[in-house]
Amino acid sequence: MIAHKESGERIDPTGIKIGMWLFLYSEIILFGGLFVLYAAYFHRYSESFAAGGEELDRLIGAANTVVLLISSFTVAASITALRLHQRRRCICLLLFSLLCGVIFLVNKYFEWGAKFARDLYPGSETLVGGEPGLNIFFGLYYIITGLHGIHVLIGMVLLTVSLVWVVSGRATAERYSMLDNSGLYWHLVDLIWIFVFPLFYLVL
Amino acid sequence: MTAPQSFYHTSSPAGLSGIRAWLLTHDHKRLGLMYLAAVFFWFVLAMVLGLLLRTELMGQGPTIMGPEVYNSMFTLHGVIMIFLFVIPAIPAIFGNFFLPIQLGTDDVFFPRLNLFSWYLFMLGGLFAIVALFAGDGFPDTGWTFYVPFSVEVDSNVGLTVSAAFILGMSSMLTGLNFVTTFHRMRDRSMGLMQIPLFTWSLYATAWVQILATPVISITFVLVMVERILGVGLFDPDKGGDPLLYQHLFWMYSHPAVYIMILPGMGVISEIIPVFSRKSIFGYKAIVWSSMGIAIAGSLVWAHHMYTSGMSDVSVFVFSLLTFLVAIPSAVKVFSWVATMYRGAIEMTPPLLLALIFIYLFTVGGLTGLVLGAVGTNIHVHDTHFVVSHFHFVMFGGTGFAFFAALHFWWPKMFGIMYRFKPAYIGASLTGIGFLFHYVPMLILGLQGMPRRYYDYLPQYETGNFLAGFGGYLLCLGIVIMFVNLLMSFRQQQPAGADPWGATTLEWSVPSPPPLHNFVAPPVVASFPYDFTTVVERAGKGGS
């Protein structure tokens, strides 16, 4: 989705960045709709939400937060590295960021798996037959973390494409919009998690 | 120097020919025409559906279809008209074609993204068609997809909301493209207050598209999640609240109303000064009112929900905010009328259509106030009064602005002029048919006839019969207009660069424009609506 004027002579990185920021903005609104639901239901079922928060594994949640924060740093560092003509370092940093993404998803897999084992998933007997507030809490938990997980995947695809571009020499110290924008997207994924983590894991 | 070749003869990227030159194009003008073709198809289809609905209602009891078909059909009519005609029509067709030219540049900022948006648009349309023929048939939920019905019903709700999701994405990306183009590609010498009003209105619209569309996307995602997983977010049995669905839905869908009308207002702001040979009255007021509508219009969504059991405080606040939107809208109407006052008015088909727009839009706006006030709203809620009101705005407003834009820019897009007489006849018939069609509905609504009902009590028969009769008149008028426009391809009467005596940049380039739009670097006027030279030229007997 990154534009190059056909003639190739007029590339405007600022404009490309404006476009990217607008897109990121729309992503925030996308999650915003879900956060509105969260706010409304939290108001109604604050006790059940606190009980639900107890069920979640704070250790894995905190670990995932750290993993994402570190990966955000390494992505930013990879952009600087490319601009300083340190291609090898840039590639290493990107590979490390991708590894962080994988760690995050593996953690998520085990986390969800543990919930499923304890009969806590949409439509499960515990949730349908139990407190309505708890059902809503876990419903939102699965939808929001699921949608976030999809965004992690998309971010990883973007980072992989950028990595290929760096390796093949298509992204250079002068033309690094693809990497730059993938980095922005990755920061967005990180940012949303920064909100998701306290809302679900630290809710009291 | 030889005349430059039009964009029809030059492909972008270079070297493509035949159908590939269209399907792979990056040229904003070709994309505008491709949208025109697609939107035209959907409009005619939905118009026929609408006519069939009104035919069914012309007499009491079953006439030409059963109740299930009727329910699916009004849903289909709504979904197509909203997502495939009214929202994309003006921005995607005329916006794509003219926004870059009015800004003095050669394309939008992200040309490939623009092509991608078109494919998304087509994909969304394809989904709608598949939903129509596959499995359990088209949904009968109405275009609002209210829960719990939309979650429980067996028909193809999933496919249809996916279609709407994809179309929303297409519209959002177009908006993103326009905002970026507006800021980064504008001619260097063009200051903010030198930008034509059509482009300004598209800019305001684009912001609403970016701001509001993701909310409907997530809402539709939730409908799909509920259908597949049954989480119960909107199901009271499982702790959910169906009212929240309505909030989320209207948080987009009310601003979407302004996505629909703002570009139309932009078109009218272009046409009125040209044929009054007089500078637009209150240029800055119109610019600010566009932005004002975009902002205020995003804060009024719950006025669709007065009877849903919201708190009285919310009802009061949303009613007040709704009244506020009337102010910038009225600023525009008064500016148009004041522009014509003491102008040298030259009657042409686009002006006639613009005048009909002003009239019908004003009625739509005033009936909107009846609905915005809580007391009267509760009386006419969910009746034919509402149906009539939003058709006055969406069809009398945006629809007529679309016809006006077509007649105004047709010579520029195709380089040929159509015949005026049939255009006048078609436009007048459409206008008269419109009134015959929708005024009876206003009265029916006040008498208490609910919307979306398959059958009605005997006392409503006269009104419904009259409305159906008006519907046929209306469609006849539209057919005459369209046939007349299409006949111009046969007559091939060349139009010249500036057939109307207009001043914005698109009229300074050949018709149809060359690939890069401008033959020489554009000369940006200090004010886009200065008609002194046009009037002087006319005074000397030239044209």
Side-chain angles (χ1 to χ4, degrees):
Chain A
M1 279 189 233
I2 308 302
H4 296 289
K5 293 303 297 177
E6 266 165 71
S7 44
E9 64 213 19
R10 264 190 338 193
I11 288 183
D12 173 5
T14 316
I16 295 175
K17 214 163 213 178
I18 290 179
M20 189 63 196
W21 275 105
L22 290 171
F23 179 71
L24 293 181
Y25 189 61
S26 77
E27 288 274 11
I28 289 175
I29 305 249
L30 187 80
F31 277 91
L34 291 173
F35 287 139
V36 166
L37 281 185
Y38 182 96
Y41 285 129
F42 181 69
H43 177 69
R44 187 173 305 179
Y45 302 119
S46 16
E47 281 174 14
S48 301
F49 270 45
E54 295 284 324
E55 299 279 334
L56 299 181
D57 192 333
R58 281 184 198 158
L59 198 65
I60 296 190
N64 265 348
T65 312
V66 174
V67 166
L68 274 191
L69 282 174
I70 292 176
S71 72
S72 241
F73 168 74
T74 51
V75 165
S78 77
I79 297 167
T80 315
L82 185 65
R83 290 174 65 179
L84 296 174
H85 298 275
Q86 298 165 336
R87 226 160 60 97
R88 181 174 290 273
R89 177 172 291 175
C90 170
I91 292 169
C92 289
L93 285 165
L94 277 177
L95 282 171
F96 181 79
S97 314
L98 282 168
L99 180 70
C100 287
V102 173
I103 294 175
F104 180 91
L105 290 175
V106 169
N107 277 344
K108 195 96 257 168
Y109 171 79
F110 283 115
E111 215 189 337
W112 278 29
K115 299 280 165 313
F116 274 59
R118 281 164 49 214
D119 201 35
L120 292 171
Y121 55 88
S124 73
E125 277 177 31
T126 319
L127 288 183
V128 173
E131 279 285 310
L134 206 62
N135 177 45
I136 294 296
F137 178 81
F138 277 102
L140 282 172
Y141 167 77
Y142 280 109
I143 290 171
I144 294 184
T145 56
L147 190 65
H148 179 261
I150 293 173
H151 279 75
V152 172
L153 273 178
I154 298 171
M156 285 170 65
V157 170
L158 288 175
L159 286 182
T160 311
V161 173
S162 308
L163 180 67
V164 172
W165 281 31
V166 174
V167 172
S168 68
R170 221 177 137 178
T172 62
E174 288 76 37
R175 274 178 57 174
Y176 55 92
S177 281
M178 179 67 198
L179 178 60
D180 208 12
N181 286 330
S182 308
L184 279 177
Y185 191 86
W186 192 254
H187 296 320
L188 172 91
V189 171
D190 191 5
L191 182 77
I192 291 170
W193 180 256
I194 298 291
F195 283 90
V196 172
F197 176 59
L199 285 181
F200 285 101
Y201 292 79
L202 305 180
V203 62
L204 288 175
Chain B
M1 192 179 148
T2 52
Q5 283 204 309
S6 83
F7 71 96
Y8 291 105
H9 301 105
T10 339
S11 76
S12 157
L16 297 175
S17 59
I19 191 79
R20 281 161 54 87
W22 288 91
L23 292 180
L24 300 175
T25 188
H26 298 171
D27 184 359
H28 65 105
K29 298 181 286 298
R30 284 190 191 236
L31 281 166
L33 295 182
M34 281 153 72
Y35 272 114
L36 176 63
V39 167
F40 181 77
F41 165 77
W42 288 113
F43 175 72
V44 172
L45 178 63
M47 182 178 86
V48 171
L49 290 173
L51 198 61
L52 289 174
L53 288 172
R54 291 320 305 191
T55 312
E56 165 57 41
L57 287 175
M58 276 174 89
Q60 239 193 313
T63 37
I64 56 169
M65 63 181 90
E68 289 86 11
V69 178
Y70 175 85
N71 288 348
S72 289
M73 211 178 250
F74 75 66
T75 307
L76 188 60
H77 171 79
V79 169
I80 294 180
M81 279 297 189
I82 299 274
F83 293 110
L84 288 153
F85 171 67
V86 189
I87 290 181
I90 296 178
I93 300 170
F94 302 105
N96 257 322
F97 202 110
F98 291 108
L99 176 123
I101 312 186
Q102 288 200 331
L103 290 172
T105 184
D106 62 348
D107 208 329
V108 290
F109 192 87
F110 299 106
R112 286 196 293 186
L113 183 64
N114 206 12
L115 178 65
F116 180 66
S117 306
W118 185 79
Y119 276 103
L120 281 181
F121 181 78
M122 298 307 280
L123 185 69
L126 186 70
F127 269 55
I129 291 181
V130 173
L132 196 56
F133 295 110
D136 296 306
F138 204 78
D140 49 356
T141 57
W143 78 279
T144 47
F145 303 108
Y146 270 14
V147 293
F149 186 58
S150 63
V151 173
E152 284 164 7
V153 73
D154 284 331
S155 54
N156 284 327
V157 174
L159 264 173
T160 314
V161 294
S162 317
F165 179 92
I166 295 168
L167 293 168
M169 186 95 169
S170 158
S171 141
M172 202 261 315
L173 291 175
T174 303
L176 183 155
N177 220 337
F178 284 177
V179 170
T180 317
T181 309
F182 181 96
H183 285 295
R184 300 300 300 178
M185 304 271 288
R186 201 167 71 232
D187 191 272
R188 281 176 187 285
S189 56
M190 187 182 277
L192 282 180
M193 290 298 141
Q194 287 159 275
I195 298 169
L197 288 164
F198 178 58
T199 293
W200 260 119
S201 73
L202 287 172
Y203 178 73
T205 310
W207 272 110
V208 186
Q209 284 172 314
I210 297 168
L211 264 160
T213 313
V215 183
I216 199 76
S217 305
I218 195 67
T219 313
F220 285 156
V221 168
L222 286 174
V223 170
M224 280 188 274
V225 168
E226 289 296 328
R227 284 180 70 84
I228 297 166
L229 298 176
V231 177
L233 278 183
F234 303 123
D235 181 353
D237 264 356
K238 297 179 180 170
D241 185 349
L243 206 57
L244 278 173
Y245 171 84
Q246 295 188 20
H247 274 294
L248 282 183
F249 179 82
W250 288 113
M251 239 179 251
Y252 162 77
S253 297
H254 195 80
V257 170
Y258 301 99
I259 297 179
M260 304 175 205
I261 192 69
L262 274 172
M265 292 170 155
V267 171
I268 304 305
S269 304
E270 292 289 330
I271 292 175
I272 297 280
V274 168
F275 299 108
S276 306
R277 296 287 183 266
K278 185 162 159 274
S279 165
I280 185 92
F281 181 90
Y283 171 89
K284 286 185 183 171
I286 293 181
V287 170
W288 285 114
S289 64
S290 289
M291 297 312 278
I293 289 175
I295 295 164
S298 301
L299 303 172
V300 299
W301 72 87
H303 67 209
H304 296 266
M305 301 163 54
Y306 287 159
T307 59
S308 67
M310 283 192 308
S311 74
D312 286 348
V313 179
S314 335
V315 170
F316 174 78
V317 170
F318 279 105
S319 177
L320 184 73
L321 287 167
T322 304
F323 276 85
L324 287 184
V325 189
I327 298 170
S329 310
V331 165
K332 285 179 192 279
V333 171
F334 286 123
S335 295
W336 295 324
V337 176
T339 303
M340 289 193 294
Y341 178 65
R342 304 194 68 177
I345 291 173
E346 184 189 342
M347 186 47 95
T348 56
L351 181 67
L352 179 65
L353 285 159
L355 294 177
I356 301 176
F357 168 99
I358 296 180
Y359 175 64
L360 297 179
F361 174 74
T362 309
V363 177
L366 292 174
T367 49
L369 290 178
V370 174
L371 291 166
V374 187
T376 40
N377 177 292
I378 288 171
H379 179 65
V380 290
H381 195 90
D382 253 352
T383 64
H384 263 62
F385 189 88
V386 180
V387 178
S388 180
H389 155 71
F390 69 72
H391 279 92
F392 262 100
V393 182
M394 298 289 88
F395 185 4
T398 313
F400 274 84
F402 173 74
F403 300 146
L406 238 137
H407 284 86
F408 185 55
W409 279 311
W410 188 269
K412 180 53 67 185
M413 294 194 293
F414 300 106
I416 45 177
M417 189 54 100
Y418 47 86
R419 286 170 62 210
F420 278 17
K421 199 169 172 190
Y424 285 132
I425 295 171
S428 313
L429 260 184
T430 314
I432 294 165
F434 185 97
L435 289 175
F436 265 107
H437 191 47
Y438 291 108
V439 172
M441 286 196 217
L442 280 178
I443 298 164
L444 283 170
L446 285 172
Q447 290 171 342
M449 178 168 163
R451 67 190 284 203
R452 292 181 172 171
Y453 275 34
Y454 173 67
D455 205 0
Y456 47 78
L457 297 170
Q459 64 260 40
Y460 302 132
E461 193 156 26
T462 319
N464 275 299
F465 179 78
L466 273 177
F469 167 74
Y472 277 93
L473 213 57
L474 173 66
C475 291
L476 178 68
I478 294 175
V479 169
I480 293 178
M481 274 199 290
F482 282 173
V483 168
N484 178 47
L485 285 176
L486 293 175
M487 287 296 280
S488 68
F489 287 117
R490 180 175 292 182
Q491 293 141 5
Q492 285 297 335
Q493 189 195 346
D498 184 10
W500 307 125
T503 51
T504 41
L505 281 179
E506 75 267 30
W507 303 104
S508 70
V509 300
S511 312
L515 178 62
H516 293 294
N517 296 343
F518 292 94
V519 189
V523 183
V524 178
S526 58
F527 184 64
Y529 301 100
D530 181 0
F531 288 91
T532 357
T533 48
V534 176
V535 173
E536 270 172 20
R537 248 187 313 168
K540 285 176 194 156
S543 63

